[in-house]
Amino acid sequence: MGKEEWMMEVIHPRDKIRVRNKARIIAKEIGFIKEKTIEEIVITVSELASNLIKHAKGGKIVINSLEEKGKKGIQIESIDKGPGIDDIELAMVDGFSKNSGLGFGLGTINRLMDSFKITSRKGFGTHIIVKRWIQEGFEKEIFPLDIGGVSKPYPGLKVNGDAFIIKRWKEKILISVIDGLGHGPMANSASNIALRYIKKNFDQSLNQIIRGVHMACQHSRGLVMALARLDLINKDIFFTGIGNIEVRIFGNKMQDSFISRRGIMGRNIPTPKIMKHHWEPGFIMILFSDGIKSRWQWKDYSYLLDKPARFIAYRMLEDLARDDDDATIVVVKEY
Ligand SMILES: [Mn+2]
């Protein structure tokens, strides 16, 4: 299988640059042509390397070329003897925002690759194997959307009162941005209740989710939240929300902005209003909490349109995060 194995120890942040560059070269040698695919392979390697540095005090990245029934592909392995992963299922939730905020979820790597295998034993380390094939025989999605978000806590704090979740299933995607009132541990525990509820009940109606989270967080400090459900077959977006999470859509010479009805989930909420929007080609949709300054224009960021959604979100967060709140931004665009 593995024709030309390449291995590197990854310990120091500078090693990341070397594995990124090497991954790009190997991907091209194997025959990957599409810049977008190569970029996704580089992102995957880069994130695996970051995880090794951050969570395992280093480890190994192994890259192999694959050949199977005339198909060619790349295999990337990450091997460490670190502390292992407590809750693989939780770590795999696509877009699950950890308290550390800027960590790329394993769910994202899972989505970028054709196959993903992880074994982890607490105290013994983690082994991840991912594969990506050239010219996959099927489209992974009916309507390929690139969705990425970042969230960071109030400057200087370790826990984040904001959170976001991106859940894909069948031909649907649910996105939620959550802001626990204030910041710090109480805000964090409020938004965790919402995350847990949504993780379990992502396929309920938007109304049911609002009501369910409202009930679930009665004894918390309270939170505000926005939900967007994308229907990938009809290309429709449905929104709802309570409180000031803003959703903006930019298209060719158009712009729309949605602000949810006032209220605090867990305390007092009005009947949620569901809004619908049809997704037109070239749209970009941005959801953000009030830790992001609201006075910005897409034209100042439109030069980033070709970059991955998460990269755009990261850039905007860097630019626009207020210094007195948790901040979250999620970007939705077409591939
Ligand atoms: Mn806030």
Side-chain angles (χ1 to χ4, degrees), residues 286-298:
I286 299 178
L287 303 88
F288 57 99
S289 71
D290 68 348
I292 298 287
K293 290 170 194 158
S294 60
R295 298 183 70 177
W296 53 268
Q297 292 183 298
W298 172 243

Side-chain angles (χ1 to χ4, degrees), residues 162 179-180 182 289-291 325-326:
D162 273 14
D179 178 354
S289 71
D290 68 348
D325 202 354
D326 311 309

Side-chain angles (χ1 to χ4, degrees), residues 35 168 189 200 204 206 290 301 305 322:
E35 193 51 46
R168 294 169 182 255
S189 77
K200 274 194 212 140
Q204 288 185 341
L206 296 184
D290 68 348
Y301 297 95
L305 192 59
R322 297 157 54 107

